[in-house]
Amino acid sequence: MGDWTVHIVDDDAAVRDSLAFMLAAAGFAVRTYPNGSEFLSVARSLRHSCLLTDLRMPDMSGVELIRRLKAADAALPAIVITGHGDVPMAVEAMKVGASDFIEKPFDDAVLLEAIARATGERNAPAGDGGIADDIVARLDTLTPREVEVFEAVVGGLPNKTIAHALDISPRTVEVHRANVMTKMQARNLPELVRLALAAGYDITSPVRNPINR
Amino acid sequence: MVGGQGVSSSKPFRSFWLAGRHRPLYGLMVAIASVLTVFLLRYALSDVFDDGALFLFFTPTILLAAMFGGIGPGLAAVGLSLIMVMVLEQLVLSREIGLLDFIAFLSVGIAIAWLGEAFLRASIASTTSAEALEEREAQLRTILETAFDAAVVINAEGVIISFNPAAERQFGYRLDEVLGRNVKCLMPEPYHSDHDHYLRRFLETGERRIIGTDRIVVGQKKDGSTFPMKLAVGETKTESWHYFTGFIRDLTEREESAARLEQAHGELARLSRLNEMGEMASMLAHELNQPLAATINYVQGCRILLRDIDNPNAERARAAMDEASRQALRAGDIIRHLREYVVRGGTQKFPESMHTLIEGAAGLALLGSRDQGVRTEFRYMASHDTVIADRVQIQQVLINLMRNALDAMRDTTRRELIVTTRNDGDMRNIVVDVADTGTGIAPETIERLFQPFVTTKSNGIGIGLSISRRIIGIHSGTISVFNNQDGGATFRFILPTLQQMGDSDG
Ligand SMILES: Nc1ncnc2c1ncn2[C@@H]1O[C@H](COP(=O)(O)OP(=O)(O)O)[C@@H](O)[C@H]1O
Ligand SMILES: [Mg+2]
């Protein structure tokens, strides 16, 4: 992994520097940028690089940054970092091309694995061509209720809101959610989102949820 | 007001009669006119009467003059009569009148004048008191009819002879249902049976149990239900009348409504606090997450650095760092749970009247503002004020805006808070303005005002406006602020009305 450079974009200096410190300790070459524009200006010339960006930033959001990189033909593997309750935004980021998202604060192992997957040093569990059929097969095993829950979960809704929208108890949502994860063979939410995207699922928030940003 | 002309203007004769200032003048005119009339009459009839009935003719004029004008005109009539008698003596009499006759007439005349005066006084006294009585009764009736408290008047037998509208409301009886009935019907047992006994004993011995003091007793409504009431009884006694008047205040009515009001306030306060807490938690989660994430990154970076060092101390430091990052992650979990706990499972939107929401919020936000010298005004110009809204959330916005306005006017001399509503866009929107005459907003902060944790107050948290913006956003509206030309700031939010919602649904 030594020949990969991780580019960190975050408006919060403490988060940016601490990430740089940790990734440098783990053996990566690291560059930091306080905002998206600065990274955009250097992005085209980069080789063997991976982007780690915050989602919420004042001038340009992480989603916007990834979109512009794509437009500038400078797309690179990207991981987005989110705060609490930002899952819908993270899903949005994955739709425009981010390979993963991580909820802050996180364990270093989670981040390192995400980077490894993004840089292709480790096989992604899903996403390649032939696998789509396999995912559709997994989707077929879900009950109608589980499909509803699946759609809501990858739409980024919290359990409480799903329960409210489907008029079932939060406890029942948890049970359905666990079943979905098992049947879809996903270990965590980003993986489930990836599977949904790989299956060609058009993730639009199925329940218009006003309280979540 | 007794005897005043204004009061008795509907009775012109009496007002003339009682016109005290002019009374002697009128009396004098009466005296002159009547004496002259009698003189002419007697002169014309001199053939019939010959020498007789001379003084007798004039006595009525004295009484008349005195009755109209009192003793003065009465005496004037006596004097005039004497002169006329003397004239007649010259003109028609065949004999001279004896001195004794003159003296007799004079003394009888004076007596008659005095009698007339006495009659006048008595008559004035009786008229004025009759009028005053009538007036006082009218006043009393108005007071009783408009009184908040029930008033029940009974006679010495305990029979109801008056029952005001408040009593009708409190007891549920119509006036005609209780008039003439014993007051016992308004009391449950044991008062019901004991009342006759109480009344009789009071009339016999004068022993007071309740008269003149306030007491809390139990009343009974027409439907049989009972309620605690405060009772004060007054006594009215004359030669011919003996009344008791009971003033009754239904304690449940007032206390219940006060309690209900308090409860409603309490509920709104609680909900808005909860909502605010949720926002706080969510914002804290966001703000605390940053340093927390940084801490964990540093700790984990250190652990990686120590990974390959073969040294017992390095081994212990690694273990400590593992623990440190675990604890920091746990803090992150706590914040996450807190947030999930307070975030409600979706907003509860119903059709609500904006004007009602404003009043409810004002009741809470403006408590005690009058004491601060703040004048408030509500101008409801919107004819369509129904919005699809979460009541608590919109009231939270209104409370935030009104409280901010009060805060901004703390040190200004002019203190006016004006809330205006109007429709725009063909009734599809309602525009709510909360305007104050406070400090206004500095140009450099106006941009950041709606961001969390922006405050200029020593005790402020700076989340009120950011919450408000989020709530208005959830309701598909917009919120903005501008400084007023003549000082102070106006916060304006615009929400779609039911009209517009109906359109987009259909
Ligand atoms: N009506 C107003 N007039 C002047 N300044 C205001 C007004 N309302 C809000 N502000 C400014 O906006 C800041 C943020 O308001 P807010 O978000 O409600 O937080 P807080 O009231 O806790 O300070 C206030 O500290 C104040 O400086
Ligand atoms: Mg405030």
Side-chain angles (χ1 to χ4, degrees):
Chain A
M1 60 178 82
D3 43 353
W4 282 85
T5 305
V6 180
H7 300 266
I8 302 168
V9 181
D10 198 315
D11 60 312
D12 189 320
V15 174
R16 195 168 65 226
D17 294 347
S18 65
L19 269 175
F21 172 77
M22 194 254 276
L23 289 173
F28 288 98
V30 181
R31 297 256 199 85
T32 60
Y33 311 82
N35 55 54
S37 330
E38 271 191 34
F39 178 67
L40 265 180
S41 62
V42 300
R44 280 194 68 109
S45 57
L46 300 178
R47 294 285 170 274
H48 234 58
S49 286
C50 159
L51 171 66
L52 188 61
T53 178
D54 190 18
L55 261 186
R56 281 180 178 275
M57 290 181 290
D59 295 325
M60 188 193 301
S61 74
V63 176
E64 185 60 25
L65 174 59
I66 294 170
R67 205 179 274 132
R68 289 214 204 165
L69 283 169
K70 211 178 194 175
D73 217 10
L76 71 168
I79 298 163
V80 294
I81 302 172
T82 74
H84 298 313
D86 274 349
V87 178
M89 209 172 168
V91 171
E92 189 63 31
M94 288 186 76
K95 274 164 79 178
V96 300
S99 58
D100 217 332
F101 70 86
I102 304 176
E103 273 193 271
K104 219 171 6 189
F106 44 78
D107 199 65
D108 57 343
V110 176
L111 176 61
L112 295 176
E113 191 189 314
I115 293 175
R117 196 165 42 231
T119 55
E121 301 237 327
R122 194 163 304 169
N123 274 340
D128 302 330
I131 294 179
D133 292 342
D134 183 28
I135 299 168
V136 173
R138 290 184 212 165
L139 273 171
D140 283 343
T141 65
L142 299 183
T143 67
R145 231 316 118 73
E146 283 166 358
V147 171
E148 283 179 319
V149 172
F150 167 73
E151 288 174 355
V153 167
V154 298
L157 303 193
N159 285 356
K160 237 183 184 176
T161 313
I162 299 172
H164 189 75
L166 299 181
D167 205 19
I168 51 182
S169 80
R171 187 79 217 141
T172 314
V173 174
E174 274 172 35
V175 174
H176 286 311
R177 191 175 178 144
N179 287 343
V180 169
M181 296 300 256
T182 316
K183 289 185 180 175
M184 294 302 291
Q185 299 168 29
R187 284 168 303 164
N188 50 39
L189 183 55
E191 212 160 276
L192 193 68
V193 173
R194 241 186 334 269
L195 288 169
L197 288 173
Y201 232 95
D202 179 25
I203 305 175
T204 44
S205 200
V207 187
R208 266 168 303 285
N209 167 40
I211 202 148
N212 237 298
R213 308 165 215 242
Chain B
M1 66 188 90
V2 172
Q5 290 175 334
V7 171
S8 37
S9 61
S10 60
K11 302 143 198 150
F13 172 71
R14 210 188 292 169
S15 112
F16 164 78
W17 177 268
L18 295 172
R21 202 147 49 87
H22 301 299
R23 203 182 298 132
L25 190 66
Y26 292 141
L28 200 64
M29 280 155 58
V30 168
I32 293 169
S34 59
V35 169
L36 277 176
T37 310
V38 167
F39 167 78
L40 291 174
L41 199 67
R42 179 64 184 79
Y43 181 69
L45 295 177
S46 51
D47 287 346
V48 182
F49 286 99
D50 251 341
D51 289 352
L54 198 58
F55 285 108
L56 192 69
F57 254 75
F58 286 92
T59 41
T61 67
I62 302 165
L63 189 63
L64 207 61
M67 271 167 59
F68 266 91
I71 189 112
L75 292 179
V78 172
L80 280 170
S81 297
L82 280 175
I83 294 166
M84 289 302 129
V85 166
M86 282 189 273
V87 173
L88 280 173
E89 180 186 23
Q90 298 301 314
L91 289 178
V92 296
L93 278 201
S94 51
R95 60 170 179 97
E96 276 196 13
I97 299 169
L99 184 65
L100 218 66
D101 283 339
F102 275 109
I103 292 170
F105 177 74
L106 199 64
S107 36
V108 169
I110 291 170
I112 291 175
W114 183 81
L115 270 175
E117 160 95 14
F119 170 81
L120 178 65
R121 281 176 192 280
S123 141
I124 289 171
S126 79
T127 329
T128 49
S129 68
E131 223 168 85
L133 212 65
E134 214 171 277
E135 198 182 311
R136 215 165 290 160
E137 219 206 336
Q139 275 174 16
L140 203 64
R141 212 178 308 123
T142 323
I143 292 172
L144 287 185
E145 258 159 31
T146 53
F148 229 93
D149 289 348
V152 178
V153 184
I154 59 169
N155 64 15
E157 280 79 50
V159 172
I160 295 171
I161 57 172
S162 167
F163 200 71
N164 75 348
E168 291 186 310
R169 194 185 68 233
Q170 279 186 21
F171 288 97
Y173 283 106
R174 281 199 326 274
L175 175 65
D176 58 333
E177 291 176 298
V178 287
L179 272 191
R181 283 181 68 180
N182 194 294
V183 72
K184 288 189 296 189
C185 69
L186 306 178
M187 305 169 194
E189 292 293 353
Y191 306 95
H192 184 94
S193 310
D194 289 346
H195 191 257
D196 282 346
H197 175 66
Y198 277 144
L199 197 60
R200 216 175 315 116
R201 193 179 44 198
F202 172 73
L203 292 172
E204 279 164 15
T205 66
E207 182 196 334
R208 286 168 179 234
R209 283 282 173 109
I210 194 161
I211 291 166
T213 55
D214 265 356
R215 279 248 235 137
I216 295 192
V217 294
V218 180
Q220 183 164 38
K221 302 192 188 215
K222 185 184 177 185
D223 64 12
S225 63
T226 57
F227 61 97
M229 63 188 215
K230 199 171 199 171
L231 174 67
V233 178
E235 187 189 7
T236 321
K237 193 174 180 181
T238 66
E239 294 280 337
S240 40
W241 298 109
H242 201 166
Y243 293 142
F244 299 95
T245 307
F247 287 98
I248 295 145
R249 177 170 301 182
D250 182 343
L251 292 174
T252 57
E253 197 171 276
R254 287 184 188 214
E255 272 167 18
E256 236 173 54
S257 56
R260 224 179 285 131
L261 199 71
E262 212 161 85
Q263 195 184 352
H265 267 169
E267 179 74 351
L268 182 58
R270 195 184 66 81
L271 286 175
S272 84
R273 253 198 316 275
L274 200 67
N275 200 42
E276 200 159 302
M277 243 176 61
E279 291 298 330
M280 278 276 289
S282 124
M283 266 175 231
L284 269 181
H286 184 76
E287 301 294 316
L288 281 181
N289 243 351
Q290 304 287 95
L292 207 55
T295 306
I296 292 168
N297 290 339
Y298 280 123
V299 170
Q300 291 177 337
C302 290
R303 203 192 50 182
I304 295 171
L305 287 180
L306 292 173
R307 189 173 46 199
D308 301 326
I309 300 175
D310 196 13
N311 173 306
N313 276 346
E315 173 65 32
R316 287 167 66 195
R318 259 198 317 269
M321 279 169 182
D322 274 342
E323 191 54 26
S325 73
R326 235 192 318 275
Q327 291 306 316
L329 282 170
R330 189 163 75 103
D333 276 344
I334 291 170
I335 293 171
R336 202 192 324 262
H337 280 133
L338 178 66
R339 184 172 183 277
E340 271 162 23
Y341 177 74
V342 286
V343 167
R344 294 187 296 154
T347 35
Q348 311 272 313
K349 292 185 188 171
F350 299 103
E352 303 279 356
S353 151
M354 180 58 78
H355 295 160
T356 310
L357 294 181
I358 290 173
E359 264 142 35
L364 195 65
L366 303 180
L367 273 182
S369 66
R370 199 139 308 168
D371 303 338
Q372 284 175 38
V374 176
R375 201 179 71 85
T376 55
E377 194 179 320
F378 298 88
R379 295 185 193 146
Y380 297 152
M381 297 188 293
S383 51
H384 293 75
D385 76 324
T386 309
V387 291
I388 305 289
D390 184 310
R391 182 174 56 86
V392 174
Q393 289 193 339
I394 294 298
Q395 289 193 332
Q396 169 99 62
V397 172
L398 288 161
I399 290 170
N400 284 341
L401 298 185
M402 292 186 204
R403 290 239 169 105
N404 281 347
L406 293 184
D407 287 344
M409 295 191 285
R410 195 148 283 162
D411 299 322
T412 53
T413 44
R414 201 165 132 237
R415 294 176 186 164
E416 285 174 31
L417 172 63
I418 302 177
V419 180
T420 317
T421 68
R422 61 187 163 82
N423 289 117
D424 80 351
D426 221 7
M427 304 297 167
R428 291 158 146 268
N429 291 319
I430 184 166
V431 182
V432 181
D433 283 356
V434 178
D436 62 54
T437 57
T439 54
I441 296 147
E444 62 267 23
T445 42
I446 206 159
E447 295 294 321
R448 300 184 301 123
L449 220 52
F450 291 97
Q451 288 173 19
F453 306 114
V454 171
T455 181
T456 54
K457 299 167 197 169
S458 54
N459 60 347
I461 315 175
I463 58 167
L465 288 178
S466 62
I467 293 176
S468 301
R469 186 175 58 175
R470 224 162 78 72
I471 291 173
I472 294 299
I474 288 168
H475 288 79
S476 318
T478 55
I479 186 167
S480 57
V481 59
F482 51 89
N483 280 320
N484 302 326
Q485 279 178 344
D486 49 349
T490 297
F491 282 82
R492 165 174 298 171
F493 66 85
I494 305 177
L495 290 180
T497 57
L498 187 60
Q499 239 81 358
Q500 178 173 341
M501 295 303 218
D503 288 356
S504 59
D505 279 2

